[in-house]
Amino acid sequence: MPKPTALEIYEGRPSHRPLPHGEPKPREIIPIAPEHLDEVGGAFYERLIQVMSSVPGWLTEADFATLGEAAYWYAEYRRYAEFIRTSGDTYVAAFTDSAGQEHQQFKPMPQVKMRKDAWVECMKLLDRLGLSPAARARMVMTRRQDEDDDLDSH
């Protein structure tokens, strides 16, 4: 999946190929959190907004849906994690074998897989936005103009 030019500039281009021309440029705005987010999802959404708006050109109106979905899946992950913390991650299932003997077996709670799936979905979306640990590892930091001015004044 191609990256937005603003993110390419921020991360750097190891291949040194020229930047694409004619890319659509959505307006730089701070999108309002979707109404369907709960308190946890809304707080995570606001945190993502803070991080992304710190880099000029990174956050645009086109990011609204992806940000909302990432916040939703993060809230789901937290909900399942809390359930596992309070209820445990396994349960005992009783069954009778073909000889008529009863047995018990520990099985993982369904919420264990649901938590993992929610985390995977959240991380996919964060990576798409350039916010995952792997995406940060690919970034190349450059000095901003105002930092250069501060260094020159000393």
Side-chain angles (χ1 to χ4, degrees):
M1 172 194 254
K3 290 183 186 175
T5 300
L7 194 53
E8 287 276 352
I9 292 168
Y10 185 73
E11 290 181 353
R13 290 189 64 119
S15 65
H16 303 290
R17 290 180 301 181
L19 293 170
H21 295 286
E23 176 185 23
K25 292 187 178 20
R27 292 181 301 157
E28 288 184 40
I29 64 166
I30 296 180
I32 297 169
E35 292 180 14
H36 70 275
L37 294 177
D38 63 10
E39 187 177 333
V40 173
F44 190 68
Y45 186 92
E46 294 302 321
R47 181 67 185 125
L48 292 176
I49 294 291
Q50 287 177 350
V51 170
M52 291 182 72
S53 63
S54 68
V55 178
W58 194 357
L59 181 62
T60 70
E61 63 186 333
D63 299 314
F64 174 76
T66 307
L67 283 165
E69 280 300 295
Y72 168 80
W73 284 112
Y74 178 77
E76 288 294 293
Y77 164 78
R78 291 280 307 273
R79 186 166 61 92
Y80 296 133
E82 179 61 20
F83 178 88
I84 292 165
R85 187 184 72 73
T86 59
S87 302
D89 59 356
T90 59
Y91 68 97
V92 178
F95 66 96
T96 306
D97 65 17
S98 60
Q101 287 235 297
E102 289 193 22
H103 299 277
Q104 292 185 337
Q105 180 181 18
F106 284 100
K107 291 189 170 196
M109 294 288 265
Q111 287 80 359
V112 172
K113 181 174 181 341
M114 295 161 81
R115 178 186 64 178
K116 178 185 172 227
D117 291 347
W119 185 249
V120 166
E121 288 301 316
C122 181
M123 290 307 295
K124 280 184 201 174
L125 294 163
L126 292 177
D127 190 59
R128 198 176 283 174
L129 292 165
L131 292 169
S132 70
R136 281 195 313 273
R138 294 186 301 261
M139 288 186 179
V140 175
M141 298 299 290
T142 59
R143 271 195 278 186
R144 295 186 331 228
Q145 180 63 37
D146 58 344
E147 289 175 343
D148 288 340
D149 293 343
D150 290 342
L151 291 174
D152 292 340
S153 65
H154 293 296

